[in-house]
């Protein structure tokens, strides 16, 4: 399993608008059919650069579907955020391979 992780630092002046937008954007990414789920998380460590930082983790169906996302959808979907938030948003992307998963049953 591959996780496509997008980490975003958003300037405080655009935070509320961005948060509303990202909650609409994530379903658009999922609608491509390339991912089975997504999680929006807030990074709890304060950044020296200021602003607020979030991580969006998309679970790809496979390496191949993630590659298809890059080829067929990524540019189009990234463009809107870049246009709306330009210099107010800094994003970087990483790919994570799930090696193993563990759970605990609480009784």
């Amino acid at each position: 399993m591959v996780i496509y992780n997008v980490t975003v630092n958003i300037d405080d002046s655009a935070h509320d608008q961005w948060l509303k937008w990202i909650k609409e954007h994530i379903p658009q990414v999922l609608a491509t059919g390339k991912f089975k789920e997504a999680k929006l998380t807030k990074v709890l460590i304060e950044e020296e650069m200021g602003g607020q930082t979030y991580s969006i983790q998309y679970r790809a169906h496979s390496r191949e579907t993630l590659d298809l996302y890059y080829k067929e959808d990524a540019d189009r979907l990234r463009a809107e955020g870049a246009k709306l938030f330009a210099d107010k948003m800094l994003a970087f992307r990483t790919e994570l391979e799930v090696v193993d998963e563990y759970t605990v049953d609480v009784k």
Side-chain angles (χ1 to χ4, degrees):
M1 167 119 14
V2 177
I3 296 173
Y4 172 58
N5 182 75
V6 182
T7 303
V8 178
N9 179 272
I10 187 75
D11 189 270
D12 288 330
S13 66
H15 175 264
D16 293 347
Q17 180 188 2
W18 177 85
L19 192 58
K20 182 178 184 225
W21 173 81
I22 198 67
K23 289 179 179 184
E24 296 169 359
H25 176 76
I26 292 170
Q28 293 173 358
V29 174
L30 292 175
T32 67
K34 312 295 195 303
F35 304 97
K36 72 179 208 171
E37 67 181 12
K39 289 182 182 175
L40 171 63
T41 61
K42 184 171 178 154
V43 177
L44 299 178
I45 297 172
E46 265 189 52
E47 294 289 341
E48 288 181 21
M49 66 173 38
Q52 297 185 53
T53 303
Y54 289 84
S55 169
I56 305 98
Q57 296 184 352
Y58 299 95
R59 281 190 170 239
H61 290 292
S62 66
R63 169 83 248 174
E64 293 76 23
T65 56
L66 180 57
D67 289 340
L68 280 175
Y69 170 77
Y70 291 142
K71 181 179 177 184
E72 298 174 352
D73 307 294
D75 290 342
R76 172 180 51 84
L77 289 166
R78 290 177 185 171
E80 183 184 10
K83 179 181 169 188
L84 288 171
F85 302 103
D87 63 340
K88 302 287 183 188
M89 177 179 79
L90 174 65
F92 68 91
R93 294 154 181 89
T94 52
E95 297 175 7
L96 308 168
E97 179 182 8
V98 177
V99 175
D100 213 346
E101 294 189 69
Y102 304 86
T103 60
V104 174
D105 292 328
V106 178
K107 295 181 181 186

